[in-house]
């Protein structure tokens, strides 16, 4: 099994603004989200991903093809293993920005609930309740009435915090997740009746 305790071992862009429905569709699958998470730490082959996720190689190959077609992953290196070329895949960017401001195929399209809630559903599927009373797991939710420009500032700070969190790899330690977001709520506005 691959050692995933270090930062990516290949060059990648800092961010990619998702601009097509195909990119969002590619992200809307839990297995693809896990693949992206794993190769965000270290490039991996189809075989390695298959072993790590306990999923057949053919299924992993299908998901990699969908991610590659959407421009979210690429082959970062290859090596010969007997008569076969083994490809290693990596993300094209550290951060994928999903923004309702992005033009989806030339027109502004609202984000689907499925895409917006995907990070939360993934986090919920991964949470392990610890009986350790000193477990540092914490969850916070807060609300504020703030201008849209400040929302963007907070979103960029969350991206930076996410990168800092992911950059603190310590071999042999337990894996913790980080999920954060700034989102529009359905709370009533002041003065609304």
């Amino acid at each position: 099994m691959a050692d995933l305790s270090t930062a990516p071992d290949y060059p990648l862009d800092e961010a990619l603004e998702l601009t097509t429905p195909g990119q969002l569709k590619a992200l809307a699958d839990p297995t693809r989200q896990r693949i992206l998470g794993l190769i965000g730490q270290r490039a991996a082959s189809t075989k390695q991903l298959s072993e790590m996720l306990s999923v057949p190689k053919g299924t992993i190959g299908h998901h990699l093809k969908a991610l590659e077609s959407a421009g979210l992953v690429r082959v970062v290196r290859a090596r010969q293993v007997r008569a076969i070329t083994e490809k290693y895949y990596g993300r094209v960017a550290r951060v994928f920005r999903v923004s309702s401001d992005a033009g989806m195929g030339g027109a502004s399209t609202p984000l689907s609930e499925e895409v917006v809630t995907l990070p939360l559903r993934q986090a919920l599927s991964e949470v392990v309740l610890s009986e350790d009373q000193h477990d540092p797991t914490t969850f916070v939710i807060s609300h504020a009435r703030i201008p849209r420009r400040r929302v963007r500032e907070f979103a960029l700070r969350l991206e930076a915090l996410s990168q800092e969190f992911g950059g603190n790899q310590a071999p042999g330690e337990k894996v913790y997740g980080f999920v954060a977001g700034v989102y529009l709520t359905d709370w009533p506005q002041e003065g609304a009746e």
Side-chain angles (χ1 to χ4, degrees), residues 5 20 43 70 73 111 113 116 156 162 165 167 170 178 181:
S5 60
T20 68
V73 304
L111 297 174
E113 181 178 333
V116 172
L156 291 173
S162 171
F165 179 84
F178 177 91

Side-chain angles (χ1 to χ4, degrees), residues 44-176:
S45 68
T46 303
K47 179 182 178 195
Q48 289 171 326
L49 290 166
S50 173
E51 291 170 358
M52 287 185 274
L53 296 174
S54 299
V55 173
K57 284 193 308 188
T59 301
I60 295 296
H62 164 77
H63 288 300
L64 285 169
K65 187 180 291 185
L67 290 166
E68 191 172 25
S69 293
L72 303 177
V73 304
R74 62 185 172 84
V75 175
V76 296
R77 68 177 168 269
R79 70 179 185 128
Q80 282 297 123
V81 179
R82 297 181 192 89
I84 298 172
T85 301
E86 187 174 46
K87 297 177 185 174
Y88 286 78
Y89 293 86
R91 294 168 63 118
V92 297
R94 292 180 196 282
V95 174
F96 297 131
R97 290 191 182 122
V98 180
S99 171
S100 58
D101 293 337
M104 297 298 174
S108 182
T109 304
L111 297 174
S112 72
E113 181 178 333
E114 182 178 6
V115 170
V116 172
T117 61
L118 183 64
L120 297 175
R121 287 186 283 121
Q122 180 182 351
L124 285 172
S125 74
E126 295 173 353
V127 169
V128 175
L129 299 178
S130 173
E131 295 187 19
D132 177 359
Q133 65 183 10
H134 301 294
D135 179 15
T137 298
T138 187
F139 295 94
V140 176
I141 188 168
S142 61
H143 298 87
R145 288 182 168 84
I146 61 175
R148 186 181 179 109
R149 67 176 170 71
R150 292 285 293 150
V151 172
R152 183 68 182 145
E153 291 170 13
F154 278 103
L156 291 173
R157 287 171 56 193
L158 287 176
E159 284 181 12
L161 188 58
S162 171
Q163 292 306 311
E164 179 184 339
F165 179 84
N168 288 309
Q169 300 291 334
E173 293 293 331
K174 292 184 180 180
V175 177
Y176 286 86

